[in-house]
Amino acid sequence: MKPVLGIETSCDETAAAIVCDDGRILADILFSQVREHAAFGGVVPEIAARAHLRHLPDFVRQVLERTGLSVRDLEGIAATSGPGLIGGLIVGCQFGKGLAMAEALPFVAVNHLEAHALTARIPGLAEDGLPFPYALMLLSGGHSLCMGVAELGQYERFGSTLDDAVGEAFDKVAKLLGLPWPGGPALERLAEGGDGGRFALPRPMLHRQGCDLSFSGLKTAVAQMARQQAAWNDSDKADLAASFQAAVAEVLADRASHACGMMRLRHPAAGTLVLAGGVAANRAIRAAVAGAAERQGFRLVAPPARLCSDNAIMVAWAGIERLRQGYRDGFDFRPLPRWPLEALNRVVA
Ligand code: KG4
Ligand code: ZN
């Protein structure tokens, strides 16, 4: 199989990559628009769409140049076409379709969640490879879900957040603590020196049946705590950050444990839990989830941080998985701002 070009523009990362089906990454460009949005404390959709439009054509030219390939040398083109911010999705999906149409190549409209779900299958990432089926926890700024991945295009949701995504909760609590956006990595750094046992915070959903998550109550509890004390010195802030992180890690470990249990019921042979999404970069969370998986007799596979957060390598890989099975989308595919993973089940089944 020839290499595949992947395009990612669903949120605030503009990215292009060329990947082979043996897992070799021939070229990869990732531009995070953090500086464009930082002043607003979050992603501004219109600014994001314009930035994607400004950068994407050049990035695609550059990844081709770096590999010495022309579009004709590709197996196909895969572009994230949902879910996400519609402006960015239009840029990536239309650009990908245009390029594929011009060279009569297959086009794959990639579901961004499927790309996260399949990343750990890139050869070389998981020891001894990662066959289907496996359990998955996807923890990012926009999504928090637990699922069973039975095979390509067969997904079962075990649970998801009832309110905020976990990354969103990190970002909001970081803001309360006066940290810059995006707050997750800054909050983790601050928590390093803190005492996670100092503040008693709630553990939403702990020991509840299933795999649903909820973070808004925890976030409100942190906000109330922050208001109780007039002056917060650096050490107080570090303790609050550590206490918040400890609460999230404990809840996620409990949910991971339930996800492994639900997976075993449906697929007795399954023995792997995959952790994905930007929040998977958090070391306290990784450790807590790994411990929970181990107690359930599951191994934990978590791709390196750069592949956990948004990137084009995972999009190219999802394209490879689908093209290998002879799948392709029409040039009339319209980007879908809402596109649950389960919607794919009908297409492939
Ligand atoms: O997967 P991702 O890059 O983008 C989305 O698709 O949302 O995830 C970004 C989210 C942000 O909310 C960010 O604050 C959070 O992941 N994040 C972290 C860490 N690194 C990124 N949260 C906690 N600890 C981290 N180290
Ligand atoms: Zn993502």
Side-chain angles (χ1 to χ4, degrees):
M1 186 181 196
K2 292 186 276 183
V4 170
L5 168 69
I7 291 172
E8 166 58 40
T9 56
S10 67
C11 189
D12 61 336
E13 263 91 23
T14 315
I18 298 180
V19 179
C20 299
D21 68 340
D22 61 6
R24 271 177 307 140
I25 297 157
L26 301 185
D28 168 38
I29 296 180
L30 172 73
F31 170 70
S32 171
Q33 304 173 4
V34 167
R35 257 188 288 159
E36 268 86 343
H37 305 286
F40 304 95
V43 179
V44 183
E46 179 64 12
I47 293 176
R50 285 171 193 275
H52 290 307
L53 197 55
R54 199 162 58 243
H55 295 296
L56 184 64
D58 197 38
F59 287 1
V60 170
R61 200 175 304 123
Q62 280 186 48
V63 286
L64 287 167
E65 248 173 50
R66 283 183 199 179
T67 53
L69 298 172
S70 65
V71 179
R72 224 163 292 125
D73 301 321
L74 299 170
E75 186 75 31
I77 294 173
T80 296
S81 302
L85 300 172
I86 188 63
L89 292 174
I90 289 174
V91 173
C93 176
Q94 299 298 88
F95 189 89
K97 284 192 297 190
L99 210 53
M101 199 187 289
E103 297 291 345
L105 289 179
F107 170 74
V108 181
V110 171
N111 179 301
H112 181 86
L113 302 173
E114 178 170 77
H116 276 299
L118 299 175
T119 308
R121 282 174 46 81
I122 297 176
L125 287 191
E127 216 181 312
D128 301 325
L130 177 62
F132 297 118
Y134 53 88
L136 168 78
M137 271 183 109
L138 173 52
L139 308 173
S140 73
H143 303 275
S144 297
L145 37 103
C146 299
M147 28 211 329
V149 180
E151 58 180 274
L152 179 69
Q154 280 302 324
Y155 306 100
E156 186 187 354
R157 186 178 299 237
F158 294 160
S160 48
T161 184
L162 305 177
D163 37 62
D164 291 352
V166 57
E168 194 181 349
F170 263 92
D171 292 340
K172 287 175 177 168
V173 168
K175 203 171 186 176
L176 278 170
L177 293 168
L179 299 171
W181 177 86
L187 195 146
E188 182 181 13
R189 272 193 301 278
L190 179 63
E192 260 164 40
D195 170 9
R198 175 163 164 207
F199 296 103
L201 292 169
R203 265 73 172 151
M205 309 306 281
L206 193 70
H207 304 317
R208 291 260 198 106
Q209 261 198 339
C211 290
D212 280 342
L213 293 150
S214 165
F215 295 102
S216 75
L218 175 59
K219 182 190 65 192
T220 306
V222 174
Q224 279 168 347
M225 206 149 265
R227 254 183 260 122
Q228 274 169 19
Q229 202 168 309
W232 286 80
N233 62 30
D234 288 350
S235 143
D236 293 331
K237 281 188 188 173
D239 290 347
L240 190 52
S243 300
F244 167 75
Q245 190 174 269
V248 174
E250 192 179 335
V251 168
L252 290 176
D254 177 67
R255 304 290 86 182
S257 177
H258 284 222
C260 293
M262 290 175 81
M263 192 65 197
R264 197 170 23 233
L265 277 179
R266 286 160 179 79
H267 302 273
T272 303
L273 172 68
V274 172
L275 191 58
V279 181
N282 186 290
R283 276 162 297 154
I285 290 173
R286 262 184 199 237
V289 170
E294 200 181 318
R295 283 189 292 280
Q296 289 287 332
F298 274 56
R299 69 165 174 162
L300 183 79
V301 171
R306 80 179 178 109
L307 293 177
C308 278
S309 52
D310 290 351
N311 64 84
I313 295 167
M314 67 178 192
V315 180
W317 179 255
I320 288 170
E321 294 246 23
R322 287 202 162 253
L323 287 168
R324 271 200 307 222
Q325 298 211 351
Y327 182 93
R328 58 169 75 190
D329 287 290
F331 293 132
D332 57 350
F333 189 96
R334 287 169 176 229
L336 300 166
R338 281 167 209 270
W339 191 8
L341 210 33
E342 301 91 315
L344 297 174
N345 291 357
R346 271 170 280 130
V347 181
V348 173

